[in-house]
Amino acid sequence: YLGYNEISVVEGLEHQSALQLLHIERQSLEPGAALYFDPRTLNTLRTCLQDLDISHNHISSILDLQSLTALKQINLRDNQLTNLEELCSTLQRWTEVVSVQLTNNPVCKLANYRNQVLVASSYTLKSLDDKSVSPITKVFLQKFEQEKSKRRASSGAVSSDEFSSEVQQLVKHLPEGLVRAVSGKVLEDTISGGPHHPVPITFPLNNFVQPSATGTGKSDIKYGLRGSKPRSKFTKPKNPSVGHPPDITQRGDEALGISSNHRIED
């Protein structure tokens, strides 16, 4: 535990080949300076270090830390990380990481930041920015990105039934927030394998409406997102006089206020 010191270079650990925990957060650094790891130290720690805290140290790049493949927990919050591609590239190398903390870095404000990080990280990840990560969510996002990559690479080539079936099973267990984040059309295309090779959607999503078994009332509404216009047959209101014009086809002249004694002849 070396936090709250004036260390600017992490060095002199070449003989600590059994070191598993290193907390070196909140160093008092010169303006414009950032915490730096000596390559010789990194070479020693790459197979043994499991818990690293380097928060609040003005760090703008973590490419040098890719070699720390034994990491299980890392705290990078309150630094100056801005490059999402670089971050994801590093996360792909940390194949045993369980917890990652990136809060209050500029990269966190980028669109789709959390999803990209989840896609890039290992299946072992359980927590990101103090929020739990569902394994099924990670699997779905990774399959979803793979599907988009395939379509971009093949210019709309049809996906296989096997993949569509796999994604179909994954969506059953997605958190409600994730389902809301994916548009209904994109989600449907992903599940069905695209418009050229549809696979019927036979299950309700968390925020989808499912028909009831009675065949009445809301059962006429087909699967659709909440808040969307129901796809049901028009039903005549019980009281046509409220908010609706009179039915002149049934009530004749009386609906127009014309007396039968004053009809206008053609």
Side-chain angles (χ1 to χ4, degrees), residues 208-211 216-235:
F208 275 57
V209 180
Q210 182 184 16
T216 60
K218 292 184 179 180
S219 63
D220 289 335
I221 303 175
K222 296 182 179 180
Y223 291 107
L225 290 173
R226 289 176 183 166
S228 61
K229 185 176 180 181
R231 305 174 187 174
S232 59
K233 295 183 179 180
F234 173 75
T235 304

Side-chain angles (χ1 to χ4, degrees), residues 22 54 58 76 140 150 180 184 191 204 236 245 251 263:
L22 177 60
I54 49 176
H58 310 295
L76 291 160
F140 174 79
K150 288 179 182 178
R180 286 200 304 265
I191 296 168
K236 185 177 179 180
R251 298 183 60 186
R263 296 187 61 180

